[in-house]
Amino acid sequence: MSDISGATGDVVWQSSPPGSIYDYIRVASFSIGADGLVEQWSKRAEELFGVDARDAVGVDPVEVFLPVEVRGRGHGRVTEILDGKEWTGVVPFRMPGRPEAQGLAELYVMPTETADGGRAAVCIIVDVRVLRRIESDLASSQAIFGQSPFGFLLFGTDLTVRRVNKRFAELFGDEVEEHRGRTVHDYLARAEADRMTAALKRVLETGRSVTDLQLIGSAPGSSERRHWSVNLYRVHSGSGAPIGVAGLGTDVTRRHVAAREAANARRNLALLNEAGARIGNSLDLETTARELLDVSVPGFCDLASVDLYQGLLAGDESPKGSADGSAELRRVAYASAVSDVLLKDSDDGPALGAVHRYAFHSPCASALRTGKVRSVPGAQGSHVQSTLAVPMVAHDTVVGLVQFSRTKGSEPFGERDRSLAVELAARAAVCMDNARLYRREHERALILQRSLLPPGDPEAAGLDIACRYLPGNTASEVGGDWFDVIELPGHRTALVVGDVMGHGLRAAVAMGELRTAVRTLALLDLEPAEVLEALDEIARGLGTPSGTQQASRAAHKTREADLSEVYLATAVYAVYDPVTRRCTFANAGHLPPVLVEPGEQALLLDVPPGMPLGVGGEPFEEVEVEIPEGALLALYTDGLVESREHPLDEGLSAFRDALTHSERPLEDVCDHVLNTLDTQHGEDDIALLMARIQGLPSDAVGDWRLPREPRSVGRARELARQQLVAWGLEDLVDTTELLVSELVTNALRYGEGEIRLRLLLDRTLVCEVWDAGLVQPRRRRARDTDEGGRGLQLVGMLSAAWGSRRTPRGKTVWFELALPDGASAPELSVEQLLSMY
């Protein structure tokens, strides 16, 4: 700012601008007259020496400010000066207000003449301390400014560059002096220059410094993006007036890159942590694929897709063509953070759910074939910048391909991103492979479970049957509960419900072994108590390792105990006879059956529970119950009526209430029971077997007693013929007469007591011949010389099934014939007839 005081011609007189050197030096002056006394005393002299003008004028200058010990030399110097000698030197002086302290002043004395020709002098004084401080500050400032490794520049109040250091000139080119007068727009792009200009104005106006102003630009002649951190502060003159803004710029590109890499590392770590928490929560392949994309988009990429081998989705162990990447894949998941961008391989990518193949030489096929990640640049005109095609590898098996894509404008994929992409794909692949292995084992377990349970809608003579099975473990869907419906001779039916202690596959295997044993024992036509006793022996045998010697049993005591626990089971076994409508029960530690008679309340049958199978030592009791037509019989396992939420008594009461007044169809009754009771507790398996009693009508039974005499053979044929004609089964008359004749003849020849003939008609025709003999018939091949012994061979050839069973008072020999379906009955071939001889 200038103060114009006058003008003469071209000469302009003005005051010094703020920041002049004189603001800092503070020069003082005084004059000495011809008498050697102070004639004039300036204001600066008053400030420097602390002596007012009125106390100094007219006084010997030596007395005014020199210390006492140097005054003698001072008087000598004054004399020399008044003699006209010029002198410059350093003199001590008393510090204002500090009598004991001394300062140093640089004194410049110039001799003068008075108006009358007398000798005088003008003295100029500068405080040496101020000079030394200025020299030190200038040297320090020059060292800092010139030798600083950081770019330094000084802006004037008009925001133009006044000065830059050498480092700044090296970064932005040209010599130091050539930068004078430039502005920030000469160094930065417009947006960044405007930010810098605004910051300079703010600092100049407010005096508040700006720290770490981040700017982005490029050095002249270079396209590399650089990052600078700039600190700005206002600079003042000695009088305190602002004279400009100083800026210190530091190249922080490396620090920015390091910070970005650290941020990327933190992001990647966070993504991996998120992936560990969110991927693989389901054992479903497609759900796992969607979980992978939920983690990846938009945290890692802008859009992504997952393709899985179609064969693996279908359950194949190793899909054909998976080794060379040519196998069919199905797109199971797709996600995009950019709504108007479509992932493109060449033209259009496959739609979600589409089955497709990648071309053999394509990057995706190469990634599948080699198991290595491949980079795919974006297609011409596509919004996609680049894509990472990452094979999903688990246990050296490629299960599919995931593609991560970033759109133009996003940061390109780096090496760290490739590693992260591989890690994300590998984690998802392991989860998918585990899901695939689980599904395979699950399917095998289900096959085992279903093979061990009777097929849906089992049929039995005189019974309407419905059943349900619910595994307690929904993950494996296998367990140790079982039920079975076994057809016995004479249109009788065995109903079985059992429960192996434990859960999962081991319990299912134990259940299968026991169920097989039950079926084998049932076909021997043993009484229910005998079946359970034999089953108990089998269960104990299953719980003991085969081949274990007595001497080593103590060493394997724990292992044997564990195995015995696995095969410990409860079961209830019932045999229903539709002719008599009587049911015989035997129980091995199981819950009692429930019977609901028409119009009555449901009740628990009093069947002695006995000990569980595998315990041994106690016999089983039988209970025979006559069941009326239309009654409902329910056998079940404890998972239906017992859980942590309620005790067994409450569950049994709720079960009985659900069964009372159950006149609706049997399937509906089953559903009503499962919907009414707490069957979703997941604590134990549930098996429910229900049978509605129908019985055989009296006109479907033919029953006769024959005396023990030869003519009873003819009488038996006649009775059989008459009964079959009455039933409209003329097509079976000849075969039935022949086989009845054989069985009655055998009863006469090898049996004892009265003979009983019974024909039963239901889904098949059954013929039974009873006698009091205990010797069981045995089919054998007759020798050429034998006159007999071929009857049972004939029975076996002509019947659908035949056999014999013990009765309380003898035995029963029976055969079964399929009902005619309109086709003529098959005749014996020559080979079959010859095989009898």
Side-chain angles (χ1 to χ4, degrees):
M1 186 168 92
S2 300
D3 180 16
I4 300 176
S5 57
T8 303
D10 294 332
V11 179
V12 178
W13 298 83
Q14 63 183 14
S15 59
S16 298
S20 170
I21 187 65
Y22 300 106
D23 290 340
Y24 297 95
I25 297 178
R26 313 286 292 179
V27 178
S29 65
F30 65 89
S31 62
I32 302 175
D35 56 0
L37 302 179
V38 174
E39 192 173 68
Q40 292 180 336
W41 191 258
S42 69
K43 291 292 185 180
R44 290 284 180 86
E46 290 183 353
E47 295 174 3
L48 178 61
F49 298 116
V51 179
D52 291 339
R54 62 177 176 269
D55 296 328
V57 174
V59 180
D60 185 349
V62 174
E63 302 295 332
V64 173
F65 61 86
L66 289 181
V68 175
E69 60 270 18
V70 297
R71 287 178 181 177
R73 294 175 58 190
H75 285 112
R77 292 294 183 187
V78 172
T79 301
E80 293 176 0
I81 291 169
L82 293 177
D83 287 341
K85 185 178 181 179
E86 189 174 295
W87 182 80
T88 301
V90 177
V91 298
F93 67 91
R94 293 182 304 229
M95 299 288 292
R98 299 167 62 188
E100 72 286 352
Q102 293 183 359
L104 290 177
E106 188 169 284
L107 180 63
Y108 178 47
V109 181
M110 295 172 290
T112 62
E113 291 184 1
T114 61
D116 54 4
R119 299 295 182 97
V122 174
C123 302
I124 297 175
I125 301 172
V126 178
D127 190 339
V128 172
R129 295 173 305 168
V130 174
L131 288 176
R132 299 295 179 266
R133 186 166 61 247
I134 291 174
E135 291 174 355
S136 177
D137 290 348
L138 286 174
S140 300
S141 176
Q142 183 61 31
I144 293 174
F145 192 82
Q147 301 173 21
S148 172
F150 309 113
F152 193 94
L153 69 168
L154 179 66
F155 294 93
T157 55
D158 58 353
L159 303 185
T160 61
V161 176
R162 294 291 180 86
R163 186 180 180 188
V164 301
N165 69 347
K166 186 177 181 180
R167 176 60 178 164
F168 184 89
E170 290 174 352
L171 289 174
F172 288 92
D174 298 331
E175 297 297 326
V176 170
E177 292 301 324
E178 295 179 17
H179 288 271
R180 186 183 297 274
R182 294 181 179 178
T183 67
V184 294
H185 286 84
D186 295 313
Y187 305 107
L188 299 172
R190 181 171 182 176
E192 294 292 85
D194 290 343
R195 290 179 57 226
M196 179 73 169
T197 301
L200 288 171
K201 290 180 178 179
R202 189 165 58 253
V203 172
L204 190 62
E205 292 171 0
T206 65
R208 290 194 294 269
S209 302
V210 171
T211 303
D212 196 22
L213 174 64
Q214 296 290 320
L215 298 173
I216 301 175
S218 301
S222 173
S223 60
E224 182 182 3
R225 288 164 56 93
R226 310 297 296 178
H227 295 260
W228 292 288
S229 172
V230 178
N231 297 320
L232 302 175
Y233 59 93
R234 192 168 68 182
V235 180
H236 303 85
S237 67
S239 63
I243 61 173
V245 178
L248 179 65
T250 306
D251 190 336
V252 294
T253 303
R254 290 184 178 179
R255 187 176 72 188
H256 181 81
V257 171
R260 184 176 60 191
E261 290 182 353
N264 288 340
R266 288 192 297 270
R267 181 204 65 183
N268 293 352
L269 182 60
L271 276 174
L272 288 177
N273 289 336
E274 185 181 6
R278 296 180 60 183
I279 298 177
N281 294 319
S282 168
L283 288 173
D284 180 74
L285 297 177
E286 298 184 15
T287 301
T288 302
R290 287 192 295 270
E291 290 170 346
L292 169 62
L293 299 194
D294 289 342
V295 171
S296 305
V297 180
F300 176 66
C301 60
D302 298 317
L303 59 161
S305 65
V306 176
D307 299 320
L308 297 180
Y309 279 122
Q310 176 69 4
L312 292 178
L313 292 169
D316 296 344
E317 288 294 318
S318 180
K320 183 178 179 182
S322 60
D324 59 9
S326 64
E328 288 186 336
L329 298 108
R330 178 152 59 94
R331 178 144 297 179
V332 297
Y334 176 81
S336 173
V338 187
S339 59
D340 60 345
V341 174
L342 295 176
L343 181 63
K344 295 185 178 181
D345 296 319
S346 54
D347 296 325
D348 292 327
L352 186 64
V355 177
H356 63 97
R357 284 187 175 93
Y358 287 110
F360 183 81
H361 295 292
S362 66
C364 292
S366 175
L368 290 168
R369 188 166 54 250
T370 62
K372 305 293 184 181
V373 61
R374 293 287 185 266
S375 294
V376 185
Q380 186 70 27
S382 170
H383 292 280
V384 175
Q385 176 188 166
S386 61
T387 298
L388 293 178
V390 188
M392 306 180 72
V393 183
H395 309 121
D396 297 326
T397 300
V398 178
V399 299
L401 183 77
V402 56
Q403 297 182 66
F404 302 106
S405 300
R406 288 182 179 174
T407 57
K408 293 178 180 178
S410 297
E411 185 176 351
F413 287 116
E415 194 60 35
R416 290 180 182 271
D417 294 323
R418 290 171 65 94
S419 300
L420 177 62
V422 171
E423 180 66 22
L424 289 173
R427 292 198 178 197
V430 169
C431 295
M432 289 181 179
D433 195 51
N434 290 339
R436 179 182 65 84
L437 294 174
Y438 162 77
R439 184 177 62 184
R440 183 186 67 187
E441 298 303 320
H442 183 213
E443 289 175 353
R444 291 176 179 177
L446 284 180
I447 291 172
L448 172 63
Q449 181 80 56
R450 291 165 183 166
S451 68
L452 297 177
L453 294 175
D457 301 325
E459 296 181 352
L463 294 175
D464 180 16
I465 296 176
C467 50
R468 296 289 188 274
Y469 174 80
L470 298 177
N473 184 355
T474 56
S476 65
E477 296 190 18
V478 295
D481 289 15
W482 91 91
F483 61 89
D484 208 346
V485 178
I486 307 170
E487 293 187 65
L488 300 178
H491 287 317
R492 294 171 303 134
T493 303
L495 304 176
V496 190
V497 167
D499 183 1
V500 175
M501 295 184 183
H503 304 282
L505 191 57
R506 293 187 67 191
V509 171
M511 174 269 285
E513 294 175 322
L514 292 178
R515 177 179 177 270
T516 301
V518 170
R519 277 193 158 263
T520 302
L521 294 170
L523 294 178
L524 296 177
D525 213 353
L526 302 176
E527 296 296 326
E530 293 177 314
V531 170
L532 293 185
E533 288 171 2
L535 192 62
D536 178 60
E537 290 292 335
I538 293 173
R540 280 188 287 164
L542 292 175
T544 303
S546 61
T548 302
Q549 300 298 323
Q550 186 69 29
S552 63
R553 288 192 177 183
H556 296 84
K557 183 177 181 180
T558 302
R559 180 169 178 265
E560 291 182 8
D562 292 342
L563 288 171
S564 297
E565 183 179 359
V566 170
Y567 289 103
L568 198 63
T570 65
V572 61
Y573 185 89
V575 175
Y576 172 67
D577 188 340
V579 178
T580 62
R581 293 187 181 86
R582 301 186 70 84
C583 191
T584 305
F585 297 92
N587 193 347
H590 203 80
L591 294 173
V594 175
L595 179 65
V596 187
E597 297 186 6
E600 301 291 337
Q601 296 287 330
L603 57 90
L604 298 175
L605 292 179
D606 186 14
V607 180
M611 298 298 291
L613 301 175
V615 174
E618 293 292 333
F620 297 98
E621 300 182 41
E622 291 182 358
V623 172
E624 190 175 64
V625 178
E626 185 172 351
I627 304 178
E629 183 80 13
L632 184 66
L633 179 66
L635 306 179
Y636 53 96
T637 56
D638 57 359
L640 181 67
V641 294
E642 185 177 26
S643 72
R644 293 190 183 94
E645 303 300 326
H646 54 75
L648 178 60
D649 290 343
E650 291 184 8
L652 287 172
S653 178
F655 182 36
R656 291 167 57 193
D657 292 342
L659 288 176
T660 300
H661 305 301
S662 52
E663 293 81 10
R664 68 189 77 179
L666 203 54
E667 293 291 337
D668 294 344
V669 175
C670 280
D671 293 337
H672 174 69
V673 169
L674 296 181
N675 292 332
T676 302
L677 302 183
D678 177 21
T679 59
Q680 304 299 322
H681 49 72
E683 298 172 13
D684 199 2
D685 309 326
I686 295 174
L688 175 62
L689 176 61
M690 304 182 71
R692 176 163 283 140
I693 306 302
Q694 295 176 342
L696 284 181
S698 58
D699 57 0
V701 179
D703 195 351
W704 306 275
R705 298 183 183 274
L706 302 172
R708 191 171 186 80
E709 54 188 34
R711 63 186 182 90
S712 293
V713 176
R715 178 59 177 163
R717 288 198 299 268
E718 181 182 356
L719 292 172
R721 183 188 310 109
Q722 293 174 354
Q723 186 64 68
L724 264 60
V725 171
W727 285 340
L729 299 178
E730 290 82 356
D731 292 343
L732 299 181
V733 168
D734 293 340
T735 302
T736 303
E737 283 189 6
L738 176 59
L739 299 185
V740 165
S741 175
E742 290 293 336
L743 294 189
V744 174
T745 300
N746 282 345
L748 288 173
R749 181 176 299 178
Y750 305 109
E752 299 178 5
E754 186 181 39
I755 298 173
R756 182 181 177 187
L757 172 64
R758 189 168 74 168
L759 296 179
L760 306 175
L761 177 62
D762 193 69
R763 291 176 295 116
T764 61
L765 174 66
V766 174
C767 174
E768 299 176 329
V769 175
W770 307 44
D771 70 80
L774 299 178
V775 178
Q776 296 290 323
R778 183 173 63 88
R779 183 178 176 181
R780 62 183 178 84
R781 180 177 293 276
R783 293 189 297 268
D784 294 342
T785 57
D786 292 342
E787 296 183 0
R790 298 177 179 84
L792 292 181
Q793 284 184 270
L794 190 63
V795 172
M797 290 180 181
L798 295 178
S799 65
W802 77 279
S804 66
R805 67 177 184 275
R806 292 181 301 166
T807 63
R809 291 179 296 276
K811 67 177 181 296
T812 300
V813 183
W814 58 272
F815 66 85
E816 184 174 347
L817 296 176
L819 299 182
D821 56 2
S824 59
E827 298 182 355
L828 291 179
S829 65
V830 175
E831 290 76 8
Q832 289 175 318
L833 290 173
L834 290 177
S835 67
M836 300 170 57
Y837 296 92

